[in-house]
Amino acid sequence: MLRLLARVLAIAWTTHDLNEDHVKIIDSALAAWPHHLDAAKSDMCNGEDEMLFQGPMFIQFCIMYLHFPRSDLVATIPGASKVIRQQQLLSVYSRDMHGVKALVASKQIINLATLQIPVQKHTPFFICGIGFAVLVQLSACCLTGSYGTHDRFDDRISLAIGVLKTLSPS
């Protein structure tokens, strides 16, 4: 799992010397990860085992991190063009498809917060995942023509912000 994260980090912001197959291979490896779990671990999202909770969270975070910079969602962030050189990132799929993949991954991370387990018991990395998921959801909310209406995102964003509030020091 951490090897996948390292592979994503190695190419996520690469603007040169990157073959489109690199992105596709890593995307395939991320999609394959849950299929290689034992049958006994197939219900990994029940929240009872923290390590089985972290696995899907890391995978979804990697998917967001791989696809968000290559998506059409980046353009909605003010000043992003100064930070993210989107036009130079290799886009393997259409910008819409990268956006859809990042959006689905963000929904999956936020769905992990709906488990009836106190969020304080999860890894601190969950904060990064939730924070990034909110950024993706807000970006998609700004592109309502492509991804739906604001109502579609309101409850998810509200949940994620509530989780962040719960995790903040009092």
Side-chain angles (χ1 to χ4, degrees):
M1 181 173 26
L2 291 178
R3 288 182 188 165
L4 288 172
L5 178 61
R7 290 171 66 188
V8 169
L9 292 174
I11 70 158
W13 302 100
T14 302
T15 58
H16 57 353
D17 298 331
L18 181 64
N19 185 321
E20 71 179 48
D21 286 339
H22 287 105
V23 177
K24 286 183 178 180
I25 289 168
I26 293 173
D27 191 36
S28 295
L30 291 168
W33 183 85
H35 300 289
H36 292 286
L37 289 176
D38 294 337
K41 297 178 181 178
S42 63
D43 189 20
M44 60 189 160
C45 290
N46 62 7
E48 294 173 12
D49 185 338
E50 180 61 21
M51 291 309 291
L52 291 177
F53 173 86
Q54 288 179 21
M57 184 203 52
F58 274 108
I59 294 300
Q60 298 305 323
F61 182 84
C62 288
I63 292 170
M64 281 191 308
Y65 203 78
L66 180 65
H67 291 289
F68 182 74
R70 292 170 171 79
S71 74
D72 56 344
L73 299 172
V74 174
T76 64
I77 302 171
S81 61
K82 295 176 184 171
V83 178
I84 300 172
R85 301 188 184 277
Q86 180 185 15
Q87 65 277 5
Q88 295 177 357
L89 288 178
L90 179 66
S91 183
V92 176
Y93 308 105
S94 69
R95 296 237 182 255
D96 285 343
M97 182 55 72
H98 283 293
V100 167
K101 287 180 177 253
L103 187 60
V104 168
S106 72
K107 286 171 30 179
Q108 294 298 321
I109 286 184
I110 293 172
N111 285 344
L112 289 173
T114 64
L115 298 174
Q116 299 302 316
I117 304 289
V119 291
Q120 295 89 340
K121 294 187 178 199
H122 296 308
T123 174
F125 190 69
F126 191 49
I127 296 170
C128 297
I130 290 287
F132 196 16
V134 168
L135 175 67
V136 172
Q137 291 285 311
L138 287 171
S139 297
C141 191
C142 292
L143 286 176
T144 55
S146 298
Y147 297 101
T149 63
H150 290 287
D151 297 339
R152 187 172 170 192
F153 303 102
D154 287 347
D155 291 333
R156 223 175 278 122
I157 292 170
S158 177
L159 170 63
I161 291 173
V163 167
L164 291 174
K165 181 180 174 189
T166 300
L167 291 171
S168 70
S170 299

